[in-house]
Every structure is written in C-alpha cells, then in structure tokens.
Amino acid sequence: MNRDAASLAGRMDVLVERCRSRGMSVTPQRMAIYRALLEAEDHPSPDTLYRRIHRKMPSLSLATVYKTLDALCALGLVQEASVGSETKRYDANLERHHHLVCTECGGIMDFYDRALDAVAPPRRLSGFVAQGISIQVVGRCAECARTRS
C-alpha cells in the first residue's frame, strides 16, 4: 500500500468527509487512530493501537479505541483482519489482497497474488451470498522458521 504523505493526507480527508456526511464528529482521537492504522503494516489489535497512540495522547482510553474501530469499519475505511484468533486485528489496506499468518508469532503480512484474486466464490453456498474471497496462507514467517529450524 502506498503510504507516502500525499496518499496519507488524501485518506485522512476521506475520513473527515465520511464522518461529516454521517453526522459524526471529527475528533482528534478518531484522526489519531485512523492515522496509526494507515501507517501500520502489522494489522494491529485494539490494545496495540492503544499503546502506540496513548504515548502521544494520554487522555485516550482503550474503550475509545474499540468504539472508534467499530466506527471506522462502519464507515468502510477499515476492515477486520479475520485470522482465526480471539484477538481482533484491523487493516486499513482496502486494496485486493490476502494475508500470510504466522502461527508462531501471530504476525500478519499482506500478500498480493493475481492468481488468488481470480478465485471465484463457489456457486452452491446454501443461500449464503458471497461478497468476495480473502485467502489466508497459514504457516511460519521467515524469522520464526529461521529460529525454529
């Protein structure tokens, strides 16, 4: 994902527009949480985001992080990175991509593959209406594989 200054500023402008169009306040907390997600490559959990932002914004509460993540998802700016763990992780990368999930350290990395993008949802889903397919490749990241060999 392109994380240059112009792209970041443009994405922040989208946050402001979407909040205002839905009658939501544009708060410093919302701005800080969204910015942290845009800058993150590790698909952080709410607790991780809280620790990163709280240093610069001591008035931030963990409850505000959770509520803001719910709001950002509802605004279509962030998605939950479903990786089969009890801890929710979040992704501001809305480009078509998949995930590499490390079973050792819990790391999640974006993975791009056109062949995987071409996989179509199955036709028979017992009334379930698929919106898309996201593939997870589960295993050990390079660092964990190196230390466990």
Side-chain angles (χ1 to χ4, degrees):
M1 179 161 66
N2 186 352
R3 290 184 174 85
D4 65 10
S7 175
L8 184 64
R11 300 278 305 267
M12 296 303 292
D13 289 344
V14 171
L15 169 64
V16 172
E17 290 169 18
R18 290 202 186 166
C19 282
R20 289 184 177 153
S21 72
R22 300 243 180 119
M24 297 170 62
S25 300
V26 180
T27 65
Q29 293 86 349
R30 284 189 178 134
M31 299 288 284
I33 292 165
Y34 188 50
R35 179 179 300 278
L37 275 169
L38 289 171
E39 293 172 345
E41 293 184 12
D42 60 347
H43 305 77
S45 68
D47 290 339
T48 300
L49 282 169
Y50 171 75
R51 285 191 303 275
R52 287 178 187 167
I53 300 165
H54 188 259
R55 293 180 211 137
K56 295 177 185 171
M57 189 177 278
S59 63
L60 181 72
S61 71
L62 184 56
T64 297
V65 173
Y66 275 95
K67 290 176 188 174
T68 300
L69 289 168
D70 288 343
L72 292 172
C73 286
L75 291 170
L77 298 170
V78 170
Q79 58 192 355
E80 190 176 325
S82 301
V83 293
S85 71
E86 292 181 23
T87 304
K88 289 185 177 185
R89 307 277 291 270
Y90 292 86
D91 192 355
N93 179 358
L94 301 179
E95 296 174 358
R96 178 100 169 118
H97 69 286
H98 309 281
H99 292 119
L100 302 176
V101 181
C102 180
T103 57
E104 296 280 329
C105 68
I108 305 171
M109 294 158 280
D110 290 343
F111 178 67
Y112 297 87
D113 186 303
R114 288 188 180 175
L116 293 178
D117 293 348
V119 173
R123 292 185 181 178
R124 289 194 206 161
L125 296 173
S126 301
F128 183 85
V129 180
Q131 296 174 330
I133 291 181
S134 175
I135 296 173
Q136 296 180 56
V137 179
V138 180
R140 290 188 290 162
C141 67
E143 186 171 330
C144 288
R146 219 178 5 261
T147 60
R148 291 285 216 174
S149 322

